[in-house]
Amino acid sequence: MKLKELVDYTGQFLEVERFKDYCPNGLQVQGRGEVNKLVTGVTASLALLDAAQEAGADAILVHHGYFWRNESPVVTGIKHVRLKFLLQHDISLLAYHLPLDAHKELGNNARLGQIMGITLEGWAGDQGLIAYGALPAEATLGAFSGALANQLRRTPQVFGDLERKVRRVAWCSGGAQGYFETAISLGVDLYISGEVSEQIFHLAHETGVAYIAAGHHATERYGIEALGTHLAEKFALEHEFIDIENPI
């Protein structure tokens, strides 16, 4: 298919115009005009670029791309190395950040909720990024966090009484620890994100709302893979998800 067709469809599907983001969403580096093989991954690291080129990718689709707000605009160092690699191999880079987090069907939060077995009830917070819902039955915090570790293949950091019962849950993948107070206001027993900051320990202790930091990368594997699968099925593309493991 044509690269422009892929970019136009994906932007409309994810409703990128709705979001105020910290980076450009869509085509970030232009490569060859025809796309037959699409590689997806969480972050456009050099390791992913190398693996995608070896896999024969015409385009790479990621959640974390380049050109973040407030970063230096000069093309030096690792930025130069990454961009040179893409341009030399004529490979396109597409990146979707907040629009992928928030997509109600294939987004990171929607997919994470399905993996955790939570019945989604609604969305809240800044740009509707926080999902909330309920477990099918009460579980102890310890039992739930243990099951989550198995599902995500990463041991989470858990803040709260492991014997406490949890039922209502809010979550937002990635580095969304700053939404903890908004989640608390929803009346949940537990909030889940990817990372944790120092003040979270005190908020969890003082409010009685448990907090799980399940890993930035671990909570954001699923949306980009689902999006790639959707695009491959719709446009008869070859698709490969490449997971460059990251313990953060």
Side-chain angles (χ1 to χ4, degrees):
M1 68 179 301
K2 298 293 185 184
L3 174 64
K4 184 179 185 305
E5 184 184 3
L6 177 65
V7 173
D8 288 348
Y9 173 82
T10 308
Q12 292 170 11
F13 182 74
L14 295 179
E15 300 179 291
V16 297
E17 297 302 322
R18 290 202 303 112
F19 294 89
K20 296 179 181 178
D21 212 336
Y22 326 111
C23 61
N25 287 291
L27 183 63
Q28 293 191 340
V29 179
Q30 182 177 336
R32 59 187 70 106
E34 293 284 338
V35 179
N36 295 301
K37 179 159 186 181
L38 179 67
V39 162
T40 55
V42 177
T43 299
S45 63
L46 191 57
L48 179 65
L49 305 190
D50 276 325
Q53 192 271 330
E54 285 292 323
D58 300 301
I60 302 170
L61 176 65
V62 297
H63 181 48
H64 301 135
Y66 305 151
F67 312 115
W68 298 92
R69 183 191 302 165
N70 298 326
E71 74 174 24
S72 173
V74 300
V75 182
T76 58
I78 190 60
K79 182 186 289 186
H80 167 260
V81 173
R82 290 170 171 175
L83 293 176
K84 181 179 179 181
F85 184 96
L86 289 166
L87 293 170
Q88 281 185 331
H89 292 284
D90 206 17
I91 299 173
S92 298
L93 177 69
L94 291 76
Y96 298 93
H97 186 232
L98 295 184
L100 184 62
D101 286 320
H103 193 268
K104 304 266 187 307
E105 179 187 356
L106 301 182
N108 287 323
N109 290 322
R111 296 291 294 162
L112 184 60
Q114 292 169 22
I115 288 165
M116 294 187 296
I118 299 173
T119 301
L120 179 65
E121 296 178 355
W123 303 81
D126 181 39
Q127 303 188 75
L129 292 171
I130 302 172
Y132 62 91
L135 295 169
E138 273 191 345
T140 66
L141 178 62
F144 177 82
S145 61
L148 185 61
N150 290 332
Q151 290 163 333
L152 300 185
R153 308 190 304 277
R154 184 189 187 277
T155 302
Q157 290 179 277
V158 183
F159 302 88
D161 180 359
L162 295 181
E163 296 303 316
R164 181 190 169 168
K165 301 288 187 181
V166 295
R167 181 72 183 273
R168 293 188 51 74
V169 182
W171 67 98
C172 187
S173 67
Q177 60 267 42
Y179 295 153
F180 188 27
E181 289 187 80
T182 301
I184 291 168
S185 71
L186 296 172
V188 298
D189 306 307
L190 167 66
Y191 178 62
I192 302 164
S193 189
E195 297 185 27
V196 64
S197 299
E198 185 273 343
Q199 69 271 21
I200 298 301
F201 170 83
H202 303 290
L203 279 172
H205 176 73
E206 293 170 18
T207 63
V209 177
Y211 185 98
I212 293 179
H216 195 134
H217 178 88
T219 57
E220 295 193 326
R221 285 191 188 105
Y222 306 101
I224 197 70
E225 183 177 14
L227 178 59
T229 299
H230 169 78
L231 294 171
E233 291 174 350
K234 183 170 182 64
F235 296 108
L237 293 171
E238 185 181 353
H239 168 237
E240 182 177 350
F241 172 68
I242 298 177
D243 190 20
I244 304 298
E245 190 55 61
N246 185 332
I248 304 302

